[in-house]
Amino acid sequence: MKRKIIITAALSGATTRKEHNPAVPYTPREFAEEAAKAYKAGAAMVHVHSRLDDGMATHEVDRIRETYDAIKDKTPELIVNLSSAVGPNKTPQQRIEQIVKIKPEMASLNTNTMNFATIDRKTGEVLVDYIFDNTFTMLQDFGRAMEENGVRPEIEVYDMGGLDNVKLIMKQGFFKDPMNFNFVFGVAGGQAFRADAFAALVHALPPNANFTSCGVAWDEFPAILQSGIMGGHMRVGLEDNVRIPSGELAKGSYELVEWAVKAASILGKEPATPDEARKIMGLRGAS
């Protein structure tokens, strides 16, 4: 029997636009269609930054709810993981309000304040540049609010310092087991993918924790392969990377999911269904 691996499709992010790949969804209908394709390809979960019709990331609760509902109406089986980052320069209240009102099964929880940028990989030119604010107080308050509202945190780790921050805060006791981590590689401001850094993160995890990994641009496929090798799960999608390994534009997040399924198969693993993923991650919808 093949071992199960959870594949997540991150459909849009806050800054990836149709100019980068025409398949990036903006409208609730586009999100629903892309999520359905990702599910059919093998994804158990989708990660969502809701957008306005012009492509701008939004914190507006009604728009986020509309996007969330459109995905669940079309593909009720899917786990929908909402972002508590939302987009650049949002207040803490704007970031957490939609989580506690909509109450998805899972939401991202970021772990440290850091530079966060889009940089031209060929020239080094800075295109987008801001400080991603995640104080200890926010980590504490967001984490507690999620747990109290039945939303399981997906804890986003950009470097070892972020993981150590969580290990300090978790002493308060509000995080439930199993804790679920996502290692993010390749963000300009975070750490690039390195196999030894990945191994160090895995070895520093709290007991019984699950982990997933994602990588920006060319870090995507090395990161998910390393994750699979070390017993973790995989995240792909247009938020992180708009191209398949050949360098061609992906037809959608679903095509990147198809590549993740191939990678998992090489490792003797197969995609978890959403219900299997719920059991692994301890989500409230687990049966």
Side-chain angles (χ1 to χ4, degrees):
M1 181 177 178
K2 288 188 176 181
R3 293 165 292 170
K4 298 292 183 175
I5 193 163
I6 300 166
I7 298 176
T8 298
L11 301 178
S12 66
T15 59
T16 310
R17 298 180 59 84
K18 289 185 183 292
E19 298 95 286
H20 305 125
N21 187 309
V24 174
Y26 289 176
T27 68
R29 179 178 178 180
E30 288 174 341
F31 271 101
E33 291 172 350
E34 286 300 304
K37 291 176 185 177
Y39 169 66
K40 185 176 181 181
M45 180 162 70
V46 291
H47 177 62
V48 174
H49 292 247
S50 188
R51 303 289 191 92
L52 301 176
D53 287 349
D54 64 1
M56 292 298 294
T58 182
H59 64 273
E60 295 175 7
V61 176
D62 289 346
R63 179 63 175 221
I64 298 171
R65 190 190 303 278
E66 186 181 0
T67 300
Y68 175 87
D69 288 347
I71 294 170
K72 293 296 286 184
D73 287 346
K74 190 171 183 66
T75 314
E77 302 92 337
L78 267 174
I79 302 164
V80 179
N81 174 341
L82 292 182
S83 171
S84 70
V86 184
N89 305 315
K90 305 297 184 182
T91 68
Q93 179 61 25
Q94 289 168 337
R95 289 171 57 180
I96 195 61
E97 181 183 26
Q98 38 98 23
I99 301 297
V100 299
K101 287 187 174 179
I102 297 171
K103 295 181 174 58
E105 290 180 78
M106 179 167 271
S108 63
L109 177 62
N110 292 282
T111 53
N112 57 340
T113 296
M114 58 188 289
N115 292 324
F116 208 99
T118 301
I119 295 179
D120 187 302
R121 301 279 168 162
K122 293 182 180 179
T123 67
E125 180 185 1
V126 178
L127 306 175
V128 177
D129 191 16
Y130 66 98
I131 300 298
F132 187 22
D133 194 22
N134 297 288
T135 65
F136 274 108
T137 299
M138 290 167 65
L139 174 57
Q140 167 191 273
D141 292 349
F142 283 22
R144 181 179 286 113
M146 289 180 192
E147 293 281 11
E148 289 177 351
N149 282 276
V151 180
R152 217 61 187 276
E154 180 190 73
I155 302 168
E156 312 296 329
V157 172
Y158 297 84
D159 57 34
M160 185 64 79
L163 178 53
D164 287 340
N165 292 347
V166 176
K167 293 172 80 170
L168 285 172
I169 292 296
M170 67 181 285
K171 294 176 181 179
Q172 297 180 47
F174 54 78
F175 288 117
K176 297 181 178 66
D177 281 340
M179 295 174 71
N180 297 287
F181 291 81
N182 181 40
F183 302 149
V184 185
F185 292 96
V187 169
Q191 65 180 354
F193 173 78
R194 298 178 181 86
D196 53 351
F198 195 113
L201 288 169
V202 172
H203 296 151
L205 285 170
N208 306 314
N210 297 311
F211 67 94
T212 296
S213 186
C214 65
V216 172
W218 297 117
D219 277 359
E220 180 169 76
F221 295 102
I224 67 169
L225 279 167
Q226 180 80 3
S227 193
I229 289 168
M230 296 197 71
H233 305 284
M234 300 177 175
R235 177 179 122 172
V236 293
L238 297 181
E239 172 174 352
D240 305 325
N241 170 42
V242 298
R243 299 181 184 275
I244 61 175
S246 67
E248 299 172 278
L249 286 178
K251 296 173 184 175
S253 289
Y254 74 90
E255 189 173 19
L256 296 167
V257 172
E258 291 171 352
W259 278 98
V261 171
K262 292 176 187 177
S265 178
I266 290 169
L267 299 173
K269 301 181 181 184
E270 63 184 11
T273 67
D275 280 345
E276 289 168 338
R278 288 181 175 98
K279 290 180 180 179
I280 292 168
M281 296 188 292
L283 303 187
R284 65 172 186 262
S287 59

